[in-house]
Coordinates of all heavy atoms in Angstrom, one line a residue:
I2 N 0.8 -1.2 0.0 CA 0.0 0.0 0.0 C 0.9 1.3 0.0 O 0.4 2.4 -0.2 CB -1.0 0.0 1.2 CG1 -0.2 0.0 2.5 CG2 -2.0 -1.1 1.1 CD1 -1.1 0.2 3.8
S3 N 2.2 1.1 0.2 CA 3.1 2.3 0.3 C 3.9 2.3 -1.0 O 4.6 1.3 -1.3 CB 4.0 2.1 1.5 OG 4.8 3.3 1.7
W4 N 3.9 3.5 -1.7 CA 4.6 3.6 -2.9 C 5.4 4.9 -2.9 O 4.8 6.0 -2.8 CB 3.5 3.7 -4.1 CG 2.8 2.4 -4.2 CD1 1.7 2.0 -3.5 CD2 3.0 1.4 -5.2 NE1 1.3 0.7 -3.9 CE2 2.1 0.4 -5.0 CE3 3.9 1.2 -6.3 CZ2 2.0 -0.8 -5.8 CZ3 3.9 0.1 -7.0 CH2 2.9 -0.9 -6.8
Q5 N 6.7 4.8 -3.1 CA 7.6 5.9 -3.2 C 7.4 6.6 -4.5 O 7.6 7.8 -4.6 CB 9.0 5.5 -3.0 CG 10.0 6.6 -2.7 CD 11.3 6.1 -2.2 OE1 12.0 5.4 -2.9 NE2 11.7 6.5 -1.0
S6 N 7.0 5.9 -5.5 CA 6.7 6.4 -6.8 C 5.7 5.5 -7.4 O 5.5 4.4 -6.9 CB 7.9 6.6 -7.7 OG 8.3 5.3 -8.2
P7 N 5.0 5.8 -8.6 CA 4.0 4.9 -9.1 C 4.6 3.5 -9.5 O 3.9 2.6 -9.5 CB 3.6 5.6 -10.4 CG 3.8 7.1 -10.1 CD 5.1 7.1 -9.3
T8 N 5.9 3.4 -9.7 CA 6.5 2.2 -10.1 C 7.4 1.6 -9.0 O 8.0 0.5 -9.3 CB 7.3 2.4 -11.4 OG1 8.4 3.3 -11.1 CG2 6.5 2.9 -12.6
R9 N 7.4 2.2 -7.9 CA 8.3 1.7 -6.8 C 7.6 1.5 -5.5 O 7.5 2.4 -4.7 CB 9.5 2.7 -6.6 CG 10.5 2.2 -5.7 CD 11.7 3.1 -5.5 NE 12.7 2.7 -4.6 CZ 13.8 3.3 -4.2 NH1 14.0 4.5 -4.7 NH2 14.6 2.8 -3.4
P10 N 7.1 0.3 -5.2 CA 6.5 0.0 -3.9 C 7.6 -0.1 -2.9 O 8.7 -0.5 -3.2 CB 5.8 -1.3 -4.2 CG 6.6 -2.0 -5.2 CD 7.1 -0.9 -6.1
I11 N 7.2 0.2 -1.6 CA 8.2 0.0 -0.5 C 8.0 -1.3 0.2 O 6.8 -1.5 0.6 CB 8.1 1.2 0.4 CG1 8.5 2.5 -0.3 CG2 9.1 1.0 1.6 CD1 8.5 3.7 0.5
A12 N 9.0 -2.1 0.3 CA 8.8 -3.4 1.0 C 8.5 -3.2 2.5 O 9.1 -2.3 3.1 CB 10.1 -4.2 0.8
K13 N 7.6 -4.0 3.0 CA 7.2 -3.9 4.4 C 8.0 -4.9 5.2 O 8.4 -6.0 4.7 CB 5.7 -4.1 4.6 CG 5.2 -5.5 4.0 CD 3.7 -5.6 4.2 CE 3.2 -7.0 3.8 NZ 3.3 -7.2 2.3
A14 N 8.4 -4.5 6.4 CA 9.1 -5.4 7.3 C 8.0 -6.3 8.0 O 7.0 -5.8 8.5 CB 9.9 -4.6 8.3
I15 N 8.3 -7.6 8.0 CA 7.3 -8.5 8.6 C 8.0 -9.3 9.8 O 7.3 -10.0 10.5 CB 6.8 -9.5 7.6 CG1 7.9 -10.5 7.0 CG2 6.0 -8.8 6.5 CD1 7.3 -11.6 6.2
N16 N 9.3 -9.2 10.0 CA 10.0 -9.9 11.0 C 10.2 -8.9 12.2 O 10.9 -7.9 12.0 CB 11.3 -10.4 10.6 CG 12.0 -11.3 11.6 OD1 11.8 -11.1 12.8 ND2 12.8 -12.3 11.2
P17 N 9.6 -9.1 13.4 CA 9.8 -8.2 14.5 C 11.2 -7.9 14.9 O 11.6 -6.8 15.3 CB 9.0 -8.9 15.6 CG 8.0 -9.7 14.9 CD 8.7 -10.2 13.7
R18 N 12.0 -9.0 14.7 CA 13.5 -8.8 15.1 C 14.1 -7.8 14.2 O 14.9 -6.9 14.6 CB 14.2 -10.2 14.9 CG 15.7 -10.1 15.0 CD 16.3 -11.4 14.8 NE 16.0 -12.4 15.8 CZ 16.7 -12.4 16.9 NH1 17.7 -11.6 17.2 NH2 16.4 -13.3 17.9
V19 N 13.8 -7.8 12.9 CA 14.4 -6.9 11.9 C 13.9 -5.5 12.3 O 14.7 -4.5 12.2 CB 14.0 -7.2 10.5 CG1 14.4 -6.2 9.5 CG2 14.6 -8.6 10.1
V20 N 12.7 -5.3 12.6 CA 12.1 -4.0 13.0 C 12.8 -3.4 14.2 O 13.2 -2.3 14.3 CB 10.6 -4.0 13.2 CG1 10.1 -2.7 13.6 CG2 9.9 -4.5 11.9
Y21 N 13.0 -4.3 15.2 CA 13.6 -3.9 16.5 C 15.0 -3.4 16.2 O 15.5 -2.4 16.7 CB 13.6 -5.1 17.4 CG 14.1 -4.8 18.8 CD1 13.3 -4.5 19.8 CD2 15.5 -4.9 19.1 CE1 13.7 -4.3 21.1 CE2 16.0 -4.7 20.4 CZ 15.1 -4.4 21.4 OH 15.5 -4.1 22.6
E22 N 15.8 -4.1 15.4 CA 17.1 -3.8 15.1 C 17.2 -2.5 14.3 O 18.1 -1.7 14.4 CB 17.8 -4.9 14.3 CG 18.1 -6.1 15.2 CD 18.5 -7.3 14.5 OE1 18.7 -7.2 13.2 OE2 18.8 -8.4 15.1
R23 N 16.2 -2.2 13.4 CA 16.2 -0.9 12.7 C 15.9 0.2 13.7 O 16.5 1.3 13.5 CB 15.1 -1.0 11.7 CG 15.4 -1.8 10.4 CD 14.3 -1.7 9.4 NE 14.2 -0.3 8.9 CZ 13.2 0.1 8.1 NH1 12.1 -0.7 7.9 NH2 13.2 1.4 7.7
L24 N 15.1 0.0 14.7 CA 14.8 1.0 15.6 C 15.9 1.3 16.6 O 16.2 2.5 16.9 CB 13.5 0.7 16.4 CG 12.2 0.6 15.7 CD1 11.1 0.2 16.6 CD2 11.9 2.0 15.1
F25 N 16.6 0.3 17.1 CA 17.5 0.4 18.2 C 19.0 0.1 17.8 O 19.8 0.3 18.7 CB 17.1 -0.4 19.4 CG 15.7 -0.1 19.8 CD1 14.7 -1.1 20.0 CD2 15.3 1.2 20.1 CE1 13.4 -0.7 20.5 CE2 14.1 1.6 20.5 CZ 13.1 0.6 20.7
G26 N 19.2 -0.4 16.6 CA 20.6 -0.6 16.1 C 21.4 -1.6 16.9 O 22.6 -1.5 16.9
K27 N 20.9 -2.6 17.5 CA 21.6 -3.6 18.2 C 21.1 -4.9 17.9 O 19.9 -5.2 18.2 CB 21.6 -3.3 19.8 CG 22.6 -4.2 20.5 CD 24.0 -3.8 20.3 CE 25.0 -4.7 21.0 NZ 26.4 -4.3 20.7
R28 N 21.9 -5.9 17.5 CA 21.4 -7.2 17.1 C 21.1 -8.0 18.4 O 21.9 -8.0 19.3 CB 22.4 -7.9 16.3 CG 22.7 -7.3 14.9 CD 23.5 -8.2 14.1 NE 22.8 -9.5 13.8 CZ 21.9 -9.6 12.9 NH1 21.5 -8.6 12.2 NH2 21.3 -10.8 12.7
L29 N 19.9 -8.7 18.3 CA 19.6 -9.5 19.5 C 20.2 -10.9 19.3 O 20.5 -11.4 18.3 CB 18.0 -9.7 19.5 CG 17.2 -8.5 19.7 CD1 15.7 -8.8 19.5 CD2 17.4 -7.9 21.1
Q30 N 20.5 -11.5 20.5 CA 21.1 -12.8 20.5 C 20.0 -13.8 20.3 O 18.8 -13.6 20.7 CB 21.8 -13.1 21.8 CG 22.8 -12.0 22.2 CD 23.9 -11.9 21.2 OE1 24.4 -12.9 20.7 NE2 24.3 -10.7 20.9
A31 N 20.3 -14.9 19.6 CA 19.2 -15.9 19.3 C 19.5 -17.3 19.8 O 18.6 -17.9 20.3 CB 19.0 -15.9 17.8
S32 N 20.7 -17.8 19.6 CA 21.0 -19.2 19.9 C 21.1 -19.4 21.4 O 21.3 -18.5 22.2 CB 22.3 -19.7 19.2 OG 23.4 -19.1 19.8
A33 N 20.9 -20.7 21.8 CA 20.9 -21.0 23.3 C 22.2 -20.6 23.9 O 22.3 -20.0 25.0 CB 20.6 -22.4 23.5
P34 N 23.4 -20.9 23.3 CA 24.7 -20.5 24.0 C 24.8 -19.0 24.1 O 25.3 -18.5 25.1 CB 25.7 -21.1 23.0 CG 25.1 -22.2 22.3 CD 23.6 -21.8 22.1
E35 N 24.4 -18.3 23.1 CA 24.5 -16.8 23.2 C 23.5 -16.3 24.2 O 23.8 -15.4 24.9 CB 24.2 -16.2 21.8 CG 25.2 -16.5 20.7 CD 24.7 -16.0 19.4 OE1 23.5 -16.2 19.1 OE2 25.5 -15.6 18.6
A36 N 22.4 -16.9 24.3 CA 21.4 -16.4 25.3 C 21.8 -16.6 26.7 O 21.4 -15.8 27.6 CB 20.1 -17.2 25.1
Q37 N 22.7 -17.5 27.0 CA 23.2 -17.8 28.4 C 24.0 -16.6 28.9 O 23.9 -16.3 30.1 CB 24.0 -19.0 28.4 CG 23.2 -20.3 28.2 CD 24.0 -21.5 28.2 OE1 25.3 -21.5 28.4 NE2 23.4 -22.7 28.0
S38 N 24.7 -15.9 28.0 CA 25.5 -14.8 28.4 C 25.0 -13.5 27.9 O 25.7 -12.5 27.9 CB 27.0 -15.0 27.9 OG 27.0 -15.0 26.5
Y39 N 23.7 -13.5 27.5 CA 23.1 -12.4 26.8 C 22.8 -11.2 27.8 O 22.3 -11.4 28.9 CB 21.8 -12.8 26.1 CG 21.1 -11.7 25.5 CD1 21.6 -10.9 24.5 CD2 19.8 -11.4 26.0 CE1 21.0 -9.9 23.9 CE2 19.1 -10.3 25.4 CZ 19.7 -9.6 24.4 OH 19.0 -8.6 23.8
R40 N 23.2 -10.0 27.4 CA 22.8 -8.8 28.1 C 21.9 -8.1 27.1 O 22.3 -7.8 26.0 CB 24.0 -7.9 28.4 CG 24.9 -8.5 29.5 CD 25.9 -7.5 29.8 NE 26.7 -7.0 28.7 CZ 27.3 -5.8 28.6 NH1 27.2 -5.0 29.6 NH2 28.0 -5.5 27.5
N41 N 20.6 -7.8 27.5 CA 19.7 -7.1 26.6 C 20.1 -5.7 26.4 O 20.9 -5.1 27.0 CB 18.3 -7.3 27.0 CG 17.9 -6.6 28.2 OD1 18.4 -5.5 28.5 ND2 17.0 -7.2 29.0
L42 N 19.4 -5.1 25.4 CA 19.7 -3.7 25.0 C 19.7 -2.7 26.2 O 20.6 -1.9 26.2 CB 18.7 -3.3 23.9 CG 18.8 -1.9 23.4 CD1 18.4 -1.9 21.9 CD2 17.9 -0.9 24.1
L43 N 18.8 -2.8 27.1 CA 18.7 -1.9 28.2 C 20.0 -1.9 29.1 O 20.3 -0.9 29.7 CB 17.5 -2.1 29.0 CG 16.2 -1.8 28.2 CD1 15.0 -2.0 29.1 CD2 16.2 -0.4 27.6
D44 N 20.6 -3.1 29.2 CA 21.8 -3.2 30.0 C 22.9 -2.3 29.5 O 23.7 -1.8 30.2 CB 22.3 -4.7 30.1 CG 21.3 -5.5 30.8 OD1 20.6 -5.0 31.8 OD2 21.2 -6.7 30.5
F45 N 22.9 -2.2 28.1 CA 24.0 -1.4 27.5 C 23.8 0.1 27.8 O 24.8 0.9 27.8 CB 24.0 -1.6 26.0 CG 24.5 -2.9 25.6 CD1 23.6 -3.9 25.0 CD2 25.8 -3.3 25.7 CE1 24.0 -5.1 24.7 CE2 26.3 -4.6 25.3 CZ 25.4 -5.5 24.8

């Protein structure tokens, strides 16, 4: 529904993780080993 020009639609983000990283600029940890030592964004 969003068009930058008549021939150029703008792709929508559907993955919440991707949106979060666009907003706050910090990659979230995902795998179990990483999660054990994970400090979330607010800790930084």
Side-chain angles (χ1 to χ4, degrees):
I2 59 173
S3 185
W4 296 78
Q5 196 168 60
S6 74
T8 59
R9 186 178 179 185
I11 298 185
K13 59 186 184 288
I15 64 172
N16 187 330
R18 172 184 291 276
V19 172
V20 178
Y21 186 93
E22 290 170 0
R23 286 184 66 192
L24 290 177
F25 303 129
K27 189 71 181 180
R28 295 191 62 81
L29 296 173
Q30 307 299 320
S32 69
E35 290 170 325
Q37 291 177 0
S38 60
Y39 174 63
R40 292 187 304 155
N41 67 33
L42 179 144
L43 294 184
D44 292 328
F45 289 110

